[in-house]
Amino acid sequence: MLRGVSPSPLAGTPTSRPWFDAEDPPSRRDLNTCIHCGLCLTACPTYRELKIEPDSPRGRIYLMRGLNEGRIAPTPELVEHLDNCLGCRACETVCPAGVPYGRMLEETRGQLSRRAGGGSSGLMRALGEAALRSLVPDRDRMQVAASLMRLGQRGPIGAFMRSGAAQRLLPAFARRGFAMTPEIAPRRERALEVAARRLPQGARMEERDAALVFIPAGPAQATVGFFTSCVMDVMFPRVNQEAVRLLVLAGCRVEVPRAQTCCGALHAHSGLRREARALARRNAAAFAPEALDFVVTDSAGCGAALHEAGHLLHDDEAADAARSLAARTRDLAQVLAAVGLPEPTATPRSRRDPGRALRIAYHDPCHLAHGQGVRGEPRALLRRIPGAQVVDLPDSDWCCGSAGVYNLTHPAMAESQLQHKLDTVAAVDPELVVASNPGCLLHMARGARERGLAARMVHLVEALALAWPAPGEDTHA
Ligand code: SF4
Ligand code: SF4
């Protein structure tokens, strides 16, 4: 028997009732896909670190299957083993049997959160769930929160947050959250409408009741819906604005529905499945127009969550709309590569040494590489930057440890993954490290700053903008 697993009173009886109830459990068919081959073990960051079976994909599946067969009941240790999982889905990439691990994990966490209180407790869990329920899905409240964060970064509050007193008085997760937060732009600069100032010649923006619409100068090659992502919207607004500009430059008509909301990824990872389903319903309706060839996002985590919408709502009256949303979801790199950017108009110069090639390393965000199988397109786009030398980081698809809010809830494990990632950055010594996911960018940038690395963490869009700048832009890296 695995450590951390208590036998239930029904242990060993073939007619045991599943511990899972009927609301959104992992399916027996999914659970039985695993053939116990163990090929996933060395791909798993927690197994590499902890070297025990219950902290491996195979061990966790065994635990889930035990719950499903009524052989075991949840214990704090069992919940901890499942909570330790980063949800990186590296195990899915190497699995020969096609085990849908990420989906099963989220369904199990949903059951544990709803019926067994989940893993963590206390202030942090209460704050996190309150934010996920009331703040994150509401774009106006997110903007107010961003303005407060901006206030907290400046003046006397900012000075206090950077002081030794704050280091002593504030809980670790608050200090870490503050250290990770990038400089928040003023409210007027965070609006997506700002992109209109930088559109290619002849392109225009129209403000309609249901959507913002960006129209290219010539005939549209594709019509895409743009998913803004709640975190990108407030922490990386310039990336969203530049993503829209590049899509228009590639010849896309870009529609940004006002009714869209958070993708629900953080909710699903945290076991708040009902909330994730409610958000998926809203997004399926917001992006319902079949005139949208693709639904495009520049956030890997959001893209992976939108791809799951069909499964999440498979038994819902919105199932068809959710399946359609999932089928049309694409990462920005896929659409830019497929529709095609024109020839680059600038050769970016290195800031470190203008005489040398700009050295760019690419990090594969888990939810892009493992969750969506997107690896080639971002690299192909980077290789089009004139004069750039594009290198892979060793173990480029190993998780950086960010994993949603995992870096706040499991700082020790997150930190050890981060340090391995930064070791590879230090070994390759690039000027830019590209990652198309806000969590990776925030987590790696904090780590790089604290370690004194010179490499800057940037989104793919920021690297591409060096070669396809808006008129009058500087193209220093
Ligand atoms: S999702 Fe990542 S951390 Fe979790 S079991 Fe799979 S490989 Fe391990
Ligand atoms: S690789 Fe797949 S089939 Fe093999 S043990 Fe891991 S999850 Fe199971």
Side-chain angles (χ1 to χ4, degrees), residues 78-419:
L78 176 147
V79 174
E80 189 184 329
H81 291 306
L82 294 176
D83 260 6
N84 280 345
C85 174
L86 290 125
C88 68
R89 298 172 64 179
C91 45
E92 290 186 25
T93 294
V94 297
C95 175
V99 172
Y101 176 87
R103 173 198 300 177
M104 297 190 306
L105 176 75
E106 289 187 354
E107 288 161 339
T108 301
R109 281 183 175 166
Q111 291 260 341
L112 290 170
S113 169
R114 184 164 50 78
R115 301 176 52 225
S120 53
S121 59
L123 177 68
M124 192 166 159
R125 180 184 166 94
L127 283 175
E129 291 196 356
L132 288 175
R133 289 197 167 100
S134 307
L135 177 64
V136 175
D138 187 310
R139 299 173 84 184
D140 292 336
R141 287 183 195 163
M142 280 294 279
Q143 290 296 348
V144 171
S147 296
L148 290 174
M149 280 192 277
R150 177 173 157 79
L151 206 63
Q153 291 177 328
R154 311 164 79 78
I157 306 177
F160 167 74
M161 291 300 289
R162 284 182 279 275
S163 70
Q167 298 302 308
R168 286 192 302 279
L169 294 173
L170 293 174
F173 75 86
R175 295 197 306 270
R176 187 173 282 254
F178 180 78
M180 273 174 48
T181 307
E183 189 176 336
I184 303 289
R187 176 71 186 94
R188 65 183 177 285
E189 294 299 319
R190 298 200 295 269
L192 195 57
E193 287 84 341
V194 169
R197 293 184 212 147
R198 303 161 53 80
L199 289 178
Q201 199 174 18
R204 67 185 196 280
M205 180 186 79
E206 289 182 5
E207 296 195 50
R208 302 192 183 158
D209 288 346
L212 271 185
V213 184
F214 296 87
I215 301 163
Q221 306 300 308
T223 299
V224 305
F226 185 68
F227 185 80
T228 56
S229 164
C230 52
V231 178
M232 298 298 294
D233 221 11
V234 296
M235 295 208 183
F236 298 99
R238 182 60 174 254
V239 170
N240 271 357
Q241 293 156 11
E242 288 293 81
V244 167
R245 182 177 70 78
L246 291 173
L247 285 166
V248 172
L249 185 64
C252 294
R253 175 189 169 97
V254 182
E255 304 202 0
V256 191
R258 297 186 197 277
Q260 65 179 290
T261 183
C262 166
C263 66
L266 294 178
H267 304 75
H269 296 174
S270 307
L272 301 178
R273 297 277 291 182
R274 288 178 184 168
E275 289 78 1
R277 281 165 63 93
L279 295 171
R281 248 177 245 120
R282 284 170 60 186
N283 281 322
F287 289 97
E290 295 299 326
L292 301 177
D293 300 311
F294 305 117
V295 177
V296 184
T297 173
D298 54 14
S299 159
C302 300
L306 296 178
H307 274 293
E308 283 297 309
H311 179 77
L312 194 61
L313 295 180
H314 69 278
D315 55 354
D316 194 275
E317 59 186 23
D320 286 345
R323 270 194 292 273
S324 166
L325 169 63
R328 286 176 296 141
T329 295
R330 299 285 186 281
D331 184 73
L332 175 76
Q334 292 177 290
V335 174
L336 290 179
V339 178
L341 283 165
E343 287 305 308
T345 52
T347 300
R349 286 163 292 163
S350 162
R351 269 191 204 174
R352 274 192 210 163
D353 178 356
R356 287 178 51 193
L358 175 62
R359 195 168 162 80
I360 304 177
Y362 182 73
H363 157 76
D364 286 286
C366 297
H367 286 92
L368 201 53
H370 305 304
Q372 300 177 65
V374 176
R375 294 168 185 265
E377 293 90 339
R379 290 176 169 86
L381 288 165
L382 290 172
R383 285 193 202 101
R384 289 192 61 195
I385 298 176
Q389 183 187 7
V390 181
V391 293
D392 268 343
L393 295 173
D395 305 324
S396 65
D397 65 353
W398 283 20
C399 182
C400 66
S402 171
V405 293
Y406 188 95
N407 59 87
L408 298 177
T409 58
H410 294 73
M413 179 64 75
E415 196 63 22
S416 79
Q417 305 311 313
L418 175 63
Q419 291 310 323

